[in-house]
Amino acid sequence: MISFKTKVWLSILGAPFALIFIYVITMQVRHPETRWDWNKIEVDAIDFPSGFQWGVATSSHQVEGNCNNNWSRWEASLNEDGTPRIHNGDRSAIACDHWNRYKEDIALIKALGVSVYRFSVEWSKIEPIAGNFDESAIQHYRDLCLALKDAGITPVVTLHHFTNPLWFEDMGAFENEANIRYLVRFSQRVFNSLKDHVAIWCTINEPTVYTSQGYFNGVWPPGKRDPQLAGEVMKNLLVAHTRVDWFVCRILDGVFNQGAIDYFQTGKFSFSMPGMDKVKYINKSGIGSLDFIGLNNYSHQRVKSQLNPKEFFRFEFYPHEEMTDMFYPIYPEAIYRSIKRVKDIDVPIIITENGIADKKDDRRNIYIERYLYSVSEAIKEGADIRGYYYWSLMDNFEWSEGYEMKFGLYEVDFTTQVRTLREGSKRYMDIVARFSQ
Ligand code: BGC
């Protein structure tokens, strides 16, 4: 750790990049990199407790089709230079038509041998106009839950997975703390309608990703690049979680940075970047506001500091690392390290997302066996992990990357909507079968 005094001294000298450089080194010392020799590891030497929940995950906008929300508007607009927002100019459009085909998709889930399906409810369909709730949309999700239960599959519901109704987006979404009440009202409505069928609830999917992509990198809606506002949005998402959680059994999906960890341990949230005022927030009800941690993990990013005040770091990968199609590598140790990092919050963990984009399907089996080996190692060392949900059940609309990325255990032909099991997915099925006795 560098002391406060040292920080002040460096800032006075006007050398913020030196500070960042030291900070990166400090982070490396505090969180040293784990590297295992995968050639020597016996990946079959795994163990999962009985009752472990094996599942698959999706989100509404990515699979349902016919959404009218902030993302559909974003997909239809252009970048400042006239290029499309989404890779290849893709639009989510009817996506996997899961809205109409959910019954056949449940049969596909069943065929995998898993017993949990995590999906999200689409706010823009349930409340297309502020305060006007569409009962038929709520009924749709009730029917989905009933069909899942009939098939012996446990529904897990995410209330907010990146998408906002247009009216909510237009009022500034999570930029304004006053708007949180709309998410709370919506969540209450959904919770009251589905609570008889759903025991596990995720409040907000990956607040950090929503914030960084939409307000920091500006590559997701609303396309802003404003670190100060990003801090505000992140804080409001954490507050929104606490308020939604007040009646929805205290859950959060997607905690993976220290700011959020601190919030749940101490009730204090602090966010700052060089050149911006610190966003600070204290809310003692943050403590204990989790029944479980929904951990989503895919890979790692190595941050390399550089002496450029405009861009003081860049992301780098080791040349020897095997890449996924998503421009980040296969790094199974990442999931082990993330578990170690959040386990201090001291509530059970569910891996609510993990998976690989692999069009050629030549790395999926290795990815699955190595990441599950890492999860099993963490369990052996005492981590309380209750479940693992593979992302994703089937290929779907991968946000900025459109339909190019193939995360599915099932391949989807988007012209015919035919779903076909991928060879590499059988590794997941084997492991699930082995530990589902
Ligand atoms: C998101 C998903 C996304 C997946 C793969 C997660 O961060 O929750 O919506 O499709 O990553 O990139």
Side-chain angles (χ1 to χ4, degrees):
M1 272 295 279
I2 50 171
S3 71
F4 178 67
K5 257 193 196 154
T6 320
K7 278 188 193 172
V8 173
W9 183 73
L10 284 168
S11 311
I12 289 169
L13 280 184
F17 41 78
L19 178 62
I20 288 147
F21 188 67
I22 292 171
Y23 183 71
V24 171
I25 293 172
T26 311
M27 289 301 283
Q28 279 169 1
V29 173
R30 278 176 61 186
H31 304 289
E33 194 176 64
T34 310
R35 280 262 154 211
W36 294 336
D37 183 351
W38 289 100
N39 295 320
K40 296 202 178 119
I41 283 177
E42 185 44 73
V43 286
D44 277 331
I46 49 177
D47 204 9
F48 292 91
S50 72
F52 192 82
Q53 299 171 15
W54 296 101
V56 286
T58 63
S59 88
S60 55
H61 187 80
Q62 297 180 269
V63 296
E64 282 180 358
N66 296 318
C67 291
N68 184 22
N69 56 29
N70 59 331
W71 263 91
S72 9
R73 183 156 72 187
W74 180 252
E75 292 157 26
S77 67
L78 297 173
N79 291 316
E80 273 165 25
D81 62 2
T83 55
R85 301 275 193 205
I86 313 296
H87 184 72
N88 280 333
D90 285 351
R91 302 268 188 99
S92 51
I94 70 157
C96 309
D97 196 25
H98 182 59
W99 183 266
N100 296 310
R101 295 169 192 260
Y102 71 86
K103 287 190 184 135
E104 68 179 83
D105 290 338
I106 290 174
L108 299 181
I109 298 173
K110 188 114 187 105
L112 294 170
V114 300
S115 59
V116 174
Y117 179 43
R118 172 182 172 233
F119 60 92
S120 70
V121 286
E122 180 56 38
W123 188 1
S124 64
K125 283 181 179 157
I126 294 178
E127 194 181 359
I129 298 168
N132 276 2
F133 290 87
D134 181 342
E135 266 311 314
S136 67
I138 296 180
Q139 187 57 43
H140 170 87
Y141 292 111
R142 220 181 271 123
D143 293 344
L144 171 60
C145 291
L146 286 171
L148 284 164
K149 282 169 75 181
D150 278 353
I153 293 164
T154 305
V156 170
V157 174
T158 306
L159 289 161
H160 187 276
H161 195 123
F162 299 152
T163 53
N164 297 325
L166 292 173
W167 58 265
F168 184 72
E169 187 79 351
D170 290 340
M171 60 169 65
F174 297 100
E175 292 169 28
N176 308 322
E177 191 172 339
N179 293 345
I180 291 173
R181 65 176 188 274
Y182 297 107
L183 179 73
V184 174
R185 180 176 68 180
F186 158 74
S187 303
Q188 247 158 351
R189 188 71 176 238
V190 174
F191 182 70
N192 287 333
S193 308
L194 302 184
K195 66 177 184 323
D196 293 344
H197 312 297
V198 182
I200 304 180
W201 294 82
C202 303
T203 50
I204 300 167
N205 182 70
E206 298 179 358
T208 337
V209 175
Y210 176 94
T211 307
S212 59
Q213 297 290 70
Y215 292 89
F216 202 75
N217 305 322
V219 293
W220 284 14
K224 298 187 180 173
R225 287 166 194 254
D226 182 342
Q228 185 75 36
L229 189 58
E232 203 53 38
V233 169
M234 181 67 195
K235 180 210 82 182
N236 288 336
L237 286 166
L238 292 175
V239 176
H241 156 77
T242 318
R243 295 200 188 145
V244 169
D245 141 88
W246 187 78
F247 60 90
V248 185
C249 351
R250 307 192 315 238
I251 298 161
L252 172 82
D253 175 35
V255 177
F256 56 122
N257 75 5
Q258 194 59 44
I261 294 174
D262 287 347
Y263 180 73
F264 296 116
Q265 280 182 319
T266 64
K268 292 184 195 154
F269 169 73
S270 156
F271 180 99
S272 74
M273 291 294 291
M276 66 168 264
D277 295 336
K278 214 175 199 153
V279 175
K280 277 188 161 182
Y281 181 74
I282 299 182
N283 176 0
K284 288 291 171 195
S285 52
I287 307 171
S289 67
L290 292 170
D291 286 337
F292 71 90
I293 293 170
L295 180 68
N296 296 359
N297 178 272
Y298 291 84
S299 181
H300 69 160
Q301 276 176 324
R302 292 183 65 226
V303 178
K304 179 107 179 153
S305 59
Q306 50 189 20
L307 298 180
N308 173 357
K310 281 204 185 123
E311 207 175 42
F312 49 84
F313 66 85
R314 62 173 191 273
F315 293 121
E316 274 204 347
F317 299 109
Y318 293 113
H320 64 265
E321 284 182 317
E322 170 123 49
M323 300 302 279
T324 70
D325 295 348
M326 279 291 276
F327 326 116
Y328 50 65
I330 298 180
Y331 178 63
E333 294 89 331
I335 201 161
Y336 170 86
R337 294 179 70 196
S338 315
I339 294 166
K340 295 263 162 185
R341 188 99 187 263
V342 296
K343 99 181 188 341
D344 292 345
I345 299 179
D346 217 15
V347 287
I349 299 168
I350 298 178
I351 311 296
T352 37
E353 282 182 32
N354 171 247
I356 181 172
D358 176 17
K359 195 174 190 164
K360 291 198 207 138
D361 194 35
D362 57 0
R363 289 146 290 168
R364 187 166 277 101
N365 58 342
I366 287 190
Y367 185 97
I368 290 170
E369 67 190 19
R370 291 189 179 175
Y371 276 72
L372 282 173
Y373 175 87
S374 300
V375 174
S376 164
E377 281 300 288
I379 294 175
K380 282 183 197 161
E381 290 170 25
D384 182 5
I385 305 172
R386 305 281 174 92
Y388 171 95
Y389 311 158
Y390 187 84
W391 184 275
S392 181
L393 166 64
M394 57 192 160
D395 294 341
N396 56 47
F397 178 75
E398 177 52 35
W399 309 114
S400 298
E401 307 310 324
Y403 288 105
E404 184 77 15
M405 295 298 153
K406 308 295 185 189
F407 277 93
L409 290 172
Y410 289 94
E411 180 182 355
V412 176
D413 177 329
F414 287 99
T415 46
T416 60
Q417 289 294 344
V418 169
R419 285 92 155 114
T420 311
L421 183 70
R422 287 202 162 89
E423 229 10 74
S425 312
K426 294 185 179 159
R427 193 73 185 102
Y428 187 47
M429 294 167 78
D430 289 347
I431 295 172
V432 171
R434 184 173 153 201
F435 292 99
S436 295
Q437 310 309 335

Coordinates of all heavy atoms in Angstrom, one line a residue, residues 59 62 118 161-162 205-206 209 220 253 256 296 298 326 328 353 355 391-392 396-399 407, ligand 1:
S59 N -30.7 -13.8 -21.1 CA -31.4 -12.6 -20.7 C -32.4 -12.2 -21.8 O -32.2 -12.5 -22.9 CB -30.4 -11.4 -20.5 OG -30.2 -10.7 -21.7
Q62 N -31.6 -10.5 -25.2 CA -30.7 -11.3 -26.0 C -31.3 -12.5 -26.7 O -30.8 -13.0 -27.7 CB -29.5 -11.8 -25.2 CG -28.6 -10.6 -24.7 CD -27.5 -11.1 -23.8 OE1 -27.6 -11.2 -22.6 NE2 -26.3 -11.3 -24.5
R118 N -31.8 -19.6 -15.5 CA -31.8 -18.2 -15.1 C -32.1 -17.4 -16.3 O -31.5 -17.5 -17.4 CB -30.4 -17.8 -14.6 CG -30.3 -16.3 -14.4 CD -28.9 -15.9 -13.9 NE -28.8 -14.4 -13.9 CZ -27.9 -13.7 -14.5 NH1 -26.9 -14.3 -15.1 NH2 -27.9 -12.4 -14.4
H161 N -31.5 -6.7 -16.5 CA -30.3 -7.2 -17.2 C -30.0 -6.2 -18.4 O -30.3 -6.5 -19.5 CB -30.5 -8.6 -17.7 CG -29.2 -9.3 -18.1 ND1 -28.8 -10.5 -17.6 CD2 -28.3 -9.0 -19.0 CE1 -27.7 -10.9 -18.1 NE2 -27.3 -10.0 -19.0
F162 N -29.4 -5.1 -18.0 CA -28.9 -4.1 -19.0 C -29.9 -3.2 -19.7 O -29.6 -2.2 -20.2 CB -28.0 -4.7 -20.0 CG -26.7 -5.3 -19.5 CD1 -26.1 -6.4 -20.3 CD2 -26.1 -5.0 -18.3 CE1 -24.9 -7.0 -19.8 CE2 -25.0 -5.6 -17.9 CZ -24.4 -6.6 -18.6
N205 N -28.1 -7.2 -12.9 CA -27.0 -7.9 -13.5 C -25.8 -6.9 -13.8 O -26.0 -5.9 -14.4 CB -27.4 -8.5 -14.9 CG -26.3 -9.3 -15.5 OD1 -26.0 -10.4 -15.0 ND2 -25.7 -8.8 -16.6
E206 N -24.7 -7.3 -13.3 CA -23.4 -6.7 -13.5 C -23.5 -5.1 -13.6 O -23.3 -4.5 -14.6 CB -22.8 -7.2 -14.9 CG -22.6 -8.6 -14.8 CD -22.0 -9.2 -16.1 OE1 -21.9 -8.4 -17.1 OE2 -21.7 -10.4 -16.2
V209 N -20.5 -3.5 -15.3 CA -20.5 -3.6 -16.8 C -21.4 -2.5 -17.4 O -21.1 -1.8 -18.3 CB -20.8 -5.0 -17.3 CG1 -20.9 -5.0 -18.8 CG2 -19.8 -6.0 -16.8
W220 N -21.9 1.5 -25.2 CA -23.3 0.9 -25.0 C -24.2 2.2 -24.7 O -23.7 3.2 -24.3 CB -23.4 0.0 -23.8 CG -22.8 -1.4 -24.0 CD1 -22.0 -1.8 -25.1 CD2 -23.0 -2.5 -23.2 NE1 -21.7 -3.1 -24.9 CE2 -22.3 -3.6 -23.8 CE3 -23.6 -2.8 -22.0 CZ2 -22.2 -4.9 -23.2 CZ3 -23.6 -4.0 -21.4 CH2 -22.9 -5.1 -22.0
D253 N -27.0 -9.9 -8.1 CA -26.3 -10.6 -9.1 C -25.2 -9.8 -9.6 O -25.4 -8.6 -10.0 CB -27.2 -11.0 -10.2 CG -26.5 -11.7 -11.3 OD1 -25.6 -12.4 -11.1 OD2 -26.9 -11.5 -12.5
F256 N -18.4 -7.7 -8.8 CA -17.0 -8.1 -9.0 C -16.0 -6.9 -9.0 O -15.1 -6.9 -9.7 CB -16.8 -9.0 -10.2 CG -17.3 -8.5 -11.6 CD1 -16.5 -8.3 -12.6 CD2 -18.7 -8.1 -11.7 CE1 -17.0 -7.9 -13.9 CE2 -19.1 -7.7 -12.9 CZ -18.3 -7.6 -14.0
N296 N -20.4 -13.5 -11.9 CA -20.2 -13.7 -13.3 C -18.8 -13.6 -13.7 O -18.2 -12.5 -13.4 CB -21.0 -12.7 -14.2 CG -22.5 -12.8 -13.9 OD1 -23.0 -13.7 -13.2 ND2 -23.2 -12.0 -14.6
Y298 N -15.7 -14.5 -16.8 CA -15.3 -15.1 -18.1 C -13.8 -15.1 -18.3 O -13.3 -16.1 -18.9 CB -15.9 -14.2 -19.2 CG -17.4 -14.3 -19.3 CD1 -18.2 -13.5 -18.4 CD2 -18.1 -15.2 -20.1 CE1 -19.6 -13.6 -18.5 CE2 -19.4 -15.3 -20.1 CZ -20.2 -14.5 -19.3 OH -21.6 -14.7 -19.3
M326 N -14.1 -13.5 -28.1 CA -14.4 -12.2 -27.5 C -13.2 -11.4 -27.2 O -13.2 -10.6 -26.3 CB -15.2 -12.4 -26.2 CG -16.7 -12.7 -26.4 SD -17.6 -11.3 -27.1 CE -18.0 -10.3 -25.7
Y328 N -10.8 -11.7 -25.4 CA -10.1 -11.9 -24.2 C -9.8 -13.4 -24.1 O -10.4 -14.2 -24.8 CB -11.0 -11.4 -23.0 CG -12.4 -11.9 -22.9 CD1 -12.8 -13.2 -22.8 CD2 -13.5 -10.9 -23.0 CE1 -14.1 -13.6 -22.7 CE2 -14.8 -11.3 -23.0 CZ -15.1 -12.6 -22.8 OH -16.4 -13.0 -22.7
E353 N -23.0 -16.8 -14.2 CA -22.6 -16.8 -15.6 C -21.2 -17.2 -15.7 O -20.3 -16.7 -15.0 CB -22.8 -15.4 -16.2 CG -24.1 -15.0 -16.6 CD -24.2 -13.6 -17.3 OE1 -23.2 -13.2 -18.0 OE2 -25.2 -12.9 -17.1
G355 N -18.9 -18.8 -19.5 CA -19.1 -19.5 -20.7 C -18.1 -18.9 -21.8 O -17.4 -17.9 -21.5
W391 N -23.3 -19.8 -19.3 CA -23.8 -18.8 -20.3 C -23.3 -19.2 -21.7 O -22.1 -19.2 -21.9 CB -23.2 -17.4 -20.0 CG -23.8 -16.3 -20.9 CD1 -23.3 -16.0 -22.1 CD2 -25.0 -15.6 -20.7 NE1 -24.2 -15.1 -22.7 CE2 -25.2 -14.8 -21.9 CE3 -25.9 -15.5 -19.7 CZ2 -26.3 -14.0 -22.0 CZ3 -27.0 -14.6 -19.8 CH2 -27.2 -13.9 -21.0
S392 N -24.1 -19.6 -22.6 CA -25.5 -19.4 -22.5 C -26.2 -20.7 -23.0 O -25.6 -21.5 -23.7 CB -26.0 -18.2 -23.3 OG -27.3 -18.0 -23.2
N396 N -27.1 -16.1 -29.0 CA -28.0 -15.0 -28.9 C -27.4 -13.7 -29.3 O -26.2 -13.7 -29.7 CB -28.7 -15.0 -27.5 CG -27.6 -14.9 -26.4 OD1 -26.7 -14.1 -26.5 ND2 -27.8 -15.8 -25.4
F397 N -28.2 -12.6 -29.1 CA -27.7 -11.3 -29.5 C -26.7 -10.8 -28.4 O -27.0 -10.5 -27.3 CB -28.9 -10.4 -29.5 CG -28.5 -8.9 -29.9 CD1 -28.2 -8.6 -31.2 CD2 -28.5 -8.0 -28.9 CE1 -27.8 -7.3 -31.5 CE2 -28.2 -6.7 -29.2 CZ -27.8 -6.3 -30.5
E398 N -25.4 -10.8 -28.9 CA -24.3 -10.4 -27.9 C -24.0 -8.9 -27.9 O -23.0 -8.5 -28.3 CB -23.1 -11.3 -28.2 CG -21.9 -11.0 -27.3 CD -22.1 -11.0 -25.8 OE1 -23.0 -11.9 -25.4 OE2 -21.5 -10.2 -25.1
W399 N -25.0 -8.1 -27.5 CA -24.8 -6.7 -27.4 C -24.1 -6.0 -28.5 O -24.4 -6.3 -29.7 CB -24.2 -6.4 -26.0 CG -25.0 -7.1 -24.9 CD1 -24.5 -8.1 -24.1 CD2 -26.3 -6.9 -24.4 NE1 -25.5 -8.5 -23.2 CE2 -26.6 -7.8 -23.4 CE3 -27.3 -6.0 -24.8 CZ2 -27.8 -7.8 -22.7 CZ3 -28.6 -6.1 -24.2 CH2 -28.8 -7.0 -23.1
F407 N -22.0 -18.0 -28.0 CA -21.8 -18.5 -26.6 C -22.6 -19.8 -26.4 O -22.5 -20.4 -25.3 CB -22.3 -17.5 -25.7 CG -21.3 -16.4 -25.3 CD1 -21.2 -15.2 -26.0 CD2 -20.3 -16.6 -24.3 CE1 -20.3 -14.2 -25.7 CE2 -19.4 -15.6 -24.0 CZ -19.4 -14.4 -24.7
Ligands
BGC1 C1 -23.5 -10.5 -19.6 C2 -24.3 -11.2 -20.8 C3 -23.3 -11.4 -21.9 C4 -22.2 -12.2 -21.5 C5 -21.2 -12.6 -22.5 C6 -22.2 -11.0 -19.4 O1 -21.4 -10.0 -18.9 O2 -24.3 -10.5 -18.5 O3 -25.4 -10.4 -21.1 O4 -23.9 -11.9 -23.0 O5 -21.5 -11.5 -20.5 O6 -20.4 -11.5 -23.0

